[in-house]
Amino acid sequence: MNILEANKIHKSYGNKFNKQEVLKGVDINIEKGEFVSIMGASGSGKTTLLNVLSSIDKTSHGTILINGNEITGMKEKQLAEFRKNHLGFIFQEYNLLDTLTVKENILLPLSITKISKKEADHKFKTVAAELGIYELKDKYPNEISGGQKQRTSAARAFIHEPSIIFADEPTGALDSKSASDLLNKLSELNEKRKATIIMVTHDPVAASYCTRVIFIKDGQVYTQLNKGTESRKDFFNDIMKTQGILGGVQNEH
């Protein structure tokens, strides 16, 4: 069952005298429970694609359906409500509030719902334990490592059990061990909770944790790779080969 359907997505910036077309008719379907990576060279449009799929930015043309709801036709107030209930976000720079504890940061998405304190505490304990950060609950962001901050960010994204979690270069600011820890946790949560995760990354190691990789080139879907029954090592090698054909992938700013 498709949880996300994007049809003929176009995105342009500028005006009719100076227009830059970034996305040129992208079609993507994501099934419920998939862990999908979007990759592409700098300037390929992968971050723009994530932004429009996640409703952070608006499309110029095309339709996006999430759980059967066409988000491209929603007014801003409707969209804010939909985001609150259905979407989770993990950003490269954590986006934690320094004045709140780890626990308070994670509970933020629940603070605008009608959930009871008892149920909120239960959800917090469960997700914080799954991500290995429960013992950090009373610490502040400036007292924990980058990897722990990103796992806090991930817990915040998962706590309200959204339909889809969008991750923008979640390992970009982490060392290799912290990145590996985070990706293992995301992979476990994907399997255990059947959570749908869509991640933009330039890192083939990060992409190898996914079940499918979509490659973007010049604003269009270039090709896709499915992991299937392959080992992570073999899938990584396939990703590297495809990157080589694309001419290499650098970090996108």
Side-chain angles (χ1 to χ4, degrees):
M1 184 187 106
N2 287 335
I3 196 165
L4 183 147
E5 295 177 22
N7 301 303
K8 301 195 168 33
I9 300 301
H10 290 260
K11 179 63 184 177
S12 303
Y13 294 98
N15 54 42
K16 63 182 179 181
F17 304 108
N18 182 22
K19 190 162 85 168
Q20 184 190 5
E21 196 176 15
V22 181
L23 300 177
K24 305 168 185 175
V26 174
D27 292 317
I28 284 178
N29 290 324
I30 308 287
E31 287 192 18
K32 183 172 171 52
E34 275 198 286
F35 187 178
V36 177
S37 174
I38 299 171
M39 300 189 80
S42 179
S44 62
K46 63 184 187 292
T47 298
T48 301
L49 178 59
L50 188 84
N51 288 343
V52 298
L53 292 179
S54 64
S55 79
I56 289 173
D57 203 353
K58 289 191 177 293
T59 60
S60 300
H61 301 288
T63 57
I64 298 166
L65 281 83
I66 296 177
N67 264 350
N69 299 283
E70 190 187 329
I71 65 167
T72 32
M74 288 183 183
K75 298 278 192 294
E76 199 49 54
K77 195 174 177 185
Q78 269 180 301
L79 206 49
E81 191 68 19
F82 184 81
R83 253 184 235 125
K84 183 176 85 177
N85 294 316
H86 294 280
L87 307 181
F89 298 90
I90 306 172
F91 301 99
Q92 182 175 339
E93 298 301 331
Y94 323 127
N95 284 22
L96 300 177
L97 297 176
D98 292 334
T99 53
L100 299 182
T101 64
V102 163
K103 181 178 181 179
E104 289 165 343
N105 267 289
I106 293 170
L107 285 172
L108 269 178
L110 298 183
S111 66
I112 48 176
T113 67
K114 292 175 180 171
I115 192 170
S116 70
K117 186 176 185 301
K118 185 179 177 183
E119 194 182 343
D121 274 343
H122 175 69
K123 283 180 179 285
F124 164 74
K125 281 178 187 168
T126 304
V127 76
E130 285 172 337
L131 281 155
I133 51 172
Y134 180 72
E135 71 283 357
L136 304 175
K137 64 184 188 297
D138 297 322
K139 291 190 178 290
Y140 288 87
N142 66 351
E143 299 174 314
I144 60 177
S145 70
Q148 290 166 334
K149 285 178 189 174
Q150 196 57 296
R151 278 186 274 157
T152 300
S153 176
R156 181 183 59 194
F158 276 96
I159 195 163
H160 62 303
E161 296 171 33
S163 303
I164 303 179
I165 288 167
F166 294 96
D168 187 7
E169 297 279 10
T171 60
L174 304 180
D175 61 60
S176 57
K177 184 180 184 309
S178 297
S180 173
D181 287 347
L182 176 71
L183 290 161
N184 274 316
K185 293 294 184 188
L186 289 181
S187 194
E188 283 170 25
L189 286 169
N190 166 248
E191 286 176 30
K192 188 173 177 182
R193 293 182 170 227
K194 300 292 177 255
T196 307
I197 306 171
I198 303 174
M199 173 175 77
V200 158
T201 184
H202 69 282
D203 181 4
V205 174
S208 71
Y209 283 81
C210 297
T211 50
R212 178 160 61 112
V213 181
I214 299 168
F215 291 89
I216 303 294
K217 183 178 182 181
D218 299 330
Q220 295 177 308
V221 174
Y222 174 75
T223 191
Q224 303 184 44
L225 292 176
N226 285 290
K227 186 176 184 182
T229 56
E230 275 191 308
S231 68
R232 196 165 67 75
K233 185 181 176 186
D234 288 341
F235 194 42
F236 168 78
N237 289 333
D238 288 346
I239 294 165
M240 290 293 287
K241 280 178 199 163
T242 307
Q243 272 196 350
I245 295 164
L246 276 168
V249 175
Q250 297 96 34
N251 199 351
E252 183 170 313
H253 297 287

